[in-house]
Amino acid sequence: KEKYWKQTAEIDMQGVKFTPIGKSTPFSGFYDGDGNAIKNLTISSGAREVGLFESVNDGSILKNIVLDESCRISGSAEGCSIGAIAGTLTGESIIENCVNEAAVTSSAPAGFNAKVSHAGGIVGSLASNSKVFNSKNYGTVSQTVAHNWYAGGIAGKQSPASIVAGCENHGTVSAASSASYGGPGTGSGAGGISAYSYGGYLSGCYN
């Protein structure tokens, strides 16, 4: 906590085995990408939280991070939260001025009473009082298994009092849908900015 990291050059992850940041313990601190691209990063995970940062907490700040189009982020666990920048953002943390061009893909399994999966171009799940400001997504965001899952251009899920503001989505968002487990009126949701919001706020966004 209260530690500061600044990325001072482009990072090429070609051929590098990468363990997502915040895998065993949620990331706590300040990371500034300074607009330097991360290239050729591939994450294919069976974890519940998937992203460059798996889990972020304690009022942390992630800013100026860029994932270019050579990156790929994917997850396959039941109930996974997947985002290019962060899988989950909690503890009043902030993502600011980040850009994602990577494809974000969830293949979370379907099943009776299966936990819900959320995929977002920037963040998978945005907890209460956490925020995403002035960030852009250009990558595709998809839920590939037909069920009752969610895919959003910026956030897969927003909890009460979370905020997404000044953000843009330029990517294609899709969620395969099926009502077979929940009955009529159920199915997946895809949103240009946020796929599922329960008391969250959107302001000044573009899709």
Side-chain angles (χ1 to χ4, degrees):
K1 190 175 181 180
E2 300 179 355
K3 297 293 181 66
Y4 180 95
W5 289 266
K6 186 170 184 177
Q7 184 180 332
T8 58
E10 290 187 349
I11 298 175
D12 190 343
M13 298 297 292
Q14 183 71 48
V16 178
K17 185 177 181 180
F18 176 73
T19 299
I21 303 164
K23 182 175 179 62
S24 56
T25 302
F27 174 81
S28 177
F30 186 103
Y31 187 96
D32 182 358
D34 202 31
N36 295 299
I38 297 172
K39 300 180 177 182
N40 297 306
L41 173 65
T42 297
I43 299 174
S44 181
S45 176
R48 287 287 301 276
E49 296 159 326
V50 184
L52 175 66
F53 293 79
E54 281 198 2
S55 179
V56 179
N57 201 353
D58 288 338
S60 298
I61 297 176
L62 309 178
K63 65 184 297 185
N64 303 322
I65 298 169
V66 178
L67 296 186
D68 84 354
E69 69 276 3
S70 63
C71 300
R72 298 288 183 271
I73 313 295
S74 62
S76 57
E78 178 186 340
C80 57
S81 289
I82 305 176
I85 305 300
T88 61
L89 195 69
T90 64
E92 302 184 9
S93 297
I94 295 171
I95 293 175
E96 183 178 3
N97 198 35
C98 291
V99 176
N100 174 56
E101 299 175 355
V104 176
T105 306
S106 169
S107 57
F112 185 71
N113 286 334
K115 293 179 175 64
V116 178
S117 172
H118 303 92
I122 299 297
V123 61
S125 182
L126 190 59
S128 296
N129 299 306
S130 291
K131 306 168 184 70
V132 180
F133 295 134
N134 303 319
S135 295
K136 298 179 182 180
N137 176 63
Y138 294 90
T140 60
V141 182
S142 56
Q143 290 278 2
T144 63
V145 177
H147 198 49
N148 308 328
W149 307 150
Y150 296 92
I154 301 298
K157 175 187 177 182
Q158 282 188 257
S159 295
S162 63
I163 298 173
V164 175
C167 293
E168 298 179 13
N169 175 54
H170 301 269
T172 299
V173 181
S174 63
S177 186
S178 171
S180 59
Y181 291 98
T186 61
S188 293
I193 301 298
S194 180
Y196 175 84
S197 179
Y198 181 71
Y201 298 99
L202 294 176
S203 177
C205 295
Y206 171 86
N207 174 57

